Amino acid sequence: MTVLVAYAPAPEGREALTQGIAEAVLRKSDLLIVNVGRGHHGLEPQEMKDIESQLQAAGRGLTVESSVLSDPGDAVIQIAQDRDVDMIVVGLRHRSMVGKLILGSTVQRILLDATCPVLAVRADRLN
């Protein structure tokens, strides 16, 4: 069993990572972090060690992967299907109506096209 986190070095990516770790531990699953940002995943070596330690304490494994596909939504969906993941965790950010219309939404595509459950989390939690 595997939980995939669509990660980008931004607040919504960090929230997805936090929730993805919690889901992996809860579901007794391994964690697959897919870098959907441009370039390096942006996680510091100490952060990676902390994540690995958390998962090892729960008896879970960690894999970090990037895709050669230029579209992050396609990358997440393809890797999720190839790896037969049990859940995808993605972070949401607030966008204006015009922003949604012009730019579309990677998260929306993942929600609509994924063949497994998707957990969408907000970085700007309501208090």
Side-chain angles (χ1 to χ4, degrees):
M1 296 180 75
T2 303
V3 172
L4 183 154
V5 173
Y7 178 80
E12 58 272 13
R14 295 220 177 263
E15 185 62 26
L17 182 57
T18 298
Q19 293 300 316
I21 293 168
E23 284 294 325
V25 170
L26 178 70
R27 295 169 175 271
K28 297 179 173 55
S29 298
D30 292 333
L31 185 69
L32 170 61
I33 301 172
V34 175
N35 177 27
V36 295
R38 306 285 184 235
H40 188 263
H41 56 68
L43 291 168
E44 297 296 325
Q46 186 59 47
E47 289 178 289
M48 290 299 296
K49 286 181 184 177
D50 292 345
I51 294 167
E52 286 175 333
S53 295
Q54 265 186 289
L55 293 169
Q56 282 179 345
R60 306 289 102 208
L62 171 66
T63 306
V64 179
E65 201 171 300
S66 293
S67 174
V68 295
L69 297 175
S70 61
D71 183 89
D74 287 343
V76 169
I77 291 166
Q78 179 182 349
I79 292 170
Q81 289 174 345
D82 290 348
R83 294 290 197 91
D84 195 27
V85 302
D86 300 295
M87 172 183 268
I88 299 171
V89 181
V90 296
L92 296 172
R93 69 174 174 202
H94 178 75
R95 299 177 88 170
S96 69
M97 293 299 272
V98 173
K100 290 176 188 174
L101 179 66
I102 294 172
L103 299 174
S105 173
T106 298
V107 174
Q108 182 178 5
R109 277 214 13 260
I110 293 169
L111 287 166
L112 294 173
D113 295 341
T115 57
C116 64
V118 178
L119 173 62
V121 297
R122 288 177 51 153
D124 56 338
R125 292 183 185 201
L126 302 173
N127 292 327

